[in-house]
Amino acid sequence: MKLRLLAGMSVLLMTAGLSACSSSSDTSDGASAGGKTTIDVWLMRDSVSAQFQNEFVKGFETAHPDIRVKVQIQEWDGIGEKVTAALASNDAPDVIETGNTQVAQFAQSGGLLDLSDKVDELGGQNWLTGLAEPGAYEGKQYGIPYYAANRVVVYRTDLFKEAGVDAATVKTRDQWLAATRKLNTGGTQGIYLPGQMWFALAGFVWDEGGDLATESGGEWKGTLDTPEAIRGMNFYKQLQTLGKGPRDSDEAEPPQAEVMAKGQVAQIISTPGGANTVIENNPELKGKLAFFPIPGKTAEKPGAVFTGGSDLVIPTVSGKHDAAYTFIKELTGDTWQKKLAVAMSYVPNKTTLADAVAGDPGASAMAVGAAVGRATPNTPGWAAVEAKNPIKDYMTAVLTGSNAQQEATTASDAITTAMNSGS
């Protein structure tokens, strides 16, 4: 899912919107003069800046003079229905950018081109798991990883210094808890963590070896009631109680960046873009915010994170598969991935390209987590879970004193029902 963010997640990017047109002129039938092939490409609003888009299109058309590119910008609201309708028509675009967790929904219809035979050529052995796994469906690769983003810890350097905490030493969960307790003094909240940030919970559950749901024999079952998942919830509770975050809402209600901007919060869990929002609301904090990866259980391995971002797919009904694939190969290749990462502060689609963002503190912190990042259960039925989201109710119940095992069983049953009815 696009990390704008995650669960109504706060907007990931603070960048300029995309221009709705490319350097190519429009044609009515997709064919250009001189025997050139024109491909229609749907990219999502705010995925890249207009400057990067124009640079890529110009470079691509120079390298491939037989192909012209026509970019159309799509809005995230209602995109699922629009893509589904396009795939069922005879007038679909040739390349579509889709949220990584949406690929299964579109692949289920049979409307996407199977690109499994291209994985090796595209360097798939080094793809981020959180993009590659949801880009596959029933053993076939339909989505090609495009870019990634995930949450990190955004912290106040001045408050850490005053408390005698060196962020560089916060590598494990236990160290994180100890540091947060030291920060949680006087009028300062050691951390602002709302009770329903379920994407953060998912990472803690994965760290413990648990999952949100598992599949067996074609049936999905919610698994928040396993010992591993319960341990993940217990850690969330320990961390959440070290601040004054509401127990019955998520990071959007109230917007956590605005809460941090008031000056009494030492840490939040957010994408790096959240720091920009903090500064916009309180310019006095400029130069006082920094980042570190969400800690794991041991110093050797960072905490698991939900990987948001996008994949690129090719509709089956496109009559220009070769040209569409050439476009995807270029945009997801090492040269343009490095440029994209630098331009947009994204995590590149391969673990081997992490050095591209070494000079960007926020993106480099994301890259550490992305290397062990994951996505939600890879099935069209997961959309039914997010529609009502029993995970949020479960978290609030536990944080307000209800029995964790009983509430986890109730939530797991709700997930099971939703996934199997939704698929």
Side-chain angles (χ1 to χ4, degrees):
M1 176 183 293
K2 177 77 173 157
L3 230 108
R4 11 175 256 200
L5 216 65
L6 303 126
M9 330 179 246
S10 63
V11 175
L12 166 66
L13 302 174
M14 301 299 175
T15 56
L18 278 165
S19 165
C21 59
S22 76
S23 61
S24 300
S25 59
D26 294 351
T27 59
S28 59
D29 60 0
S32 302
K36 294 182 179 181
T37 299
T38 296
I39 57 172
D40 292 311
V41 177
W42 284 6
L43 296 181
M44 300 308 301
R45 176 74 62 191
D46 293 336
S47 286
V48 295
S49 65
Q51 179 179 350
F52 179 85
Q53 175 193 319
N54 292 333
E55 180 185 357
F56 173 76
V57 170
K58 181 178 180 180
F60 177 83
E61 291 182 342
T62 299
H64 303 279
D66 57 331
I67 304 174
R68 304 190 76 182
V69 178
K70 184 171 69 173
V71 175
Q72 299 177 40
I73 304 308
Q74 305 298 319
E75 304 295 336
W76 284 103
D77 290 342
I79 190 60
E81 294 82 359
K82 186 170 185 177
V83 171
T84 298
L87 296 178
S89 73
N90 291 320
D91 191 32
D94 304 295
V95 177
I96 300 175
E97 174 192 348
T98 179
N100 58 328
T101 61
Q102 294 176 320
V103 176
Q105 172 189 349
F106 303 139
Q108 184 186 42
S109 69
L112 298 183
L113 185 66
D114 178 7
L115 297 170
S116 301
D117 62 339
K118 305 296 187 182
V119 172
D120 289 343
E121 181 179 356
L122 295 174
Q125 69 275 14
N126 296 316
W127 282 340
L128 296 176
T129 302
L131 293 180
E133 284 190 350
Y137 181 65
E138 295 187 341
K140 297 179 180 180
Q141 193 73 38
Y142 296 96
I144 303 304
Y146 179 17
Y147 64 83
N150 49 266
R151 290 180 173 84
V152 298
V153 178
V154 181
Y155 73 96
R156 286 274 302 274
T157 56
D158 55 335
L159 295 180
F160 267 57
K161 184 176 181 179
E162 291 173 10
V165 177
D166 181 0
T169 66
V170 182
K171 300 292 186 182
T172 70
R173 281 188 186 178
D174 288 342
Q175 291 169 345
W176 194 16
L177 290 173
T180 304
R181 292 188 186 101
K182 291 185 67 175
L183 291 157
N184 196 22
T185 58
T188 299
Q189 293 187 59
I191 189 169
Y192 178 84
L193 179 60
Q196 296 183 345
M197 189 184 284
W198 69 278
F199 284 97
L201 171 63
F204 302 150
V205 169
W206 292 329
D207 281 342
E208 294 290 350
D211 213 332
L212 305 177
T214 57
E215 185 268 339
S216 178
E219 293 290 314
W220 284 88
K221 182 179 185 299
T223 52
L224 287 177
D225 54 347
T226 63
E228 296 84 359
I230 294 292
R231 289 199 298 269
M233 183 64 220
N234 287 341
F235 176 76
Y236 190 101
K237 185 175 182 179
Q238 290 183 68
L239 189 63
Q240 201 272 339
T241 56
L242 295 178
K244 300 177 182 178
R247 298 173 182 177
D248 59 353
S249 63
D250 61 22
E251 62 269 33
E253 296 293 338
Q256 64 173 357
E258 294 181 12
V259 176
M260 190 178 197
K262 294 178 181 179
Q264 296 179 318
V265 172
Q267 305 172 87
I268 59 173
I269 299 174
S270 171
T271 58
N276 296 334
T277 305
V278 172
I279 294 168
E280 287 176 2
N281 283 274
N282 185 354
E284 292 183 2
L285 295 181
K286 186 175 182 179
K288 297 180 180 179
L289 299 178
F291 318 91
F292 60 83
I294 293 176
K297 295 186 69 174
T298 67
E300 289 71 33
K301 186 177 181 180
V305 292
F306 171 80
T307 302
S310 289
D311 283 14
L312 297 174
V313 300
I314 300 175
T316 305
V317 296
S318 164
K320 307 162 188 173
H321 292 171
D322 289 345
Y325 173 70
T326 300
F327 178 92
I328 289 177
K329 183 178 179 181
E330 287 281 351
L331 188 51
T332 64
D334 291 3
T335 297
W336 285 103
Q337 279 292 301
K338 291 177 182 178
K339 293 180 179 180
L340 177 66
V342 172
M344 302 301 299
S345 294
Y346 283 145
V347 179
N349 62 3
K350 300 184 184 74
T351 57
T352 50
L353 301 178
D355 286 349
V357 292
D360 184 323
S364 59
M366 282 199 299
V368 173
V372 293
R374 297 179 57 177
T376 50
N378 187 19
T379 170
W382 185 254
V385 177
E386 290 196 29
K388 295 185 177 180
N389 211 328
I391 304 174
K392 289 186 172 184
D393 294 336
Y394 159 63
M395 296 173 74
T396 294
V398 174
L399 292 173
T400 53
S402 296
N403 181 275
Q405 187 66 59
Q406 292 178 0
E407 296 295 340
T409 298
T410 299
S412 294
D413 289 345
I415 290 172
T416 298
T417 299
M419 292 189 79
N420 292 302
S421 62
S423 60

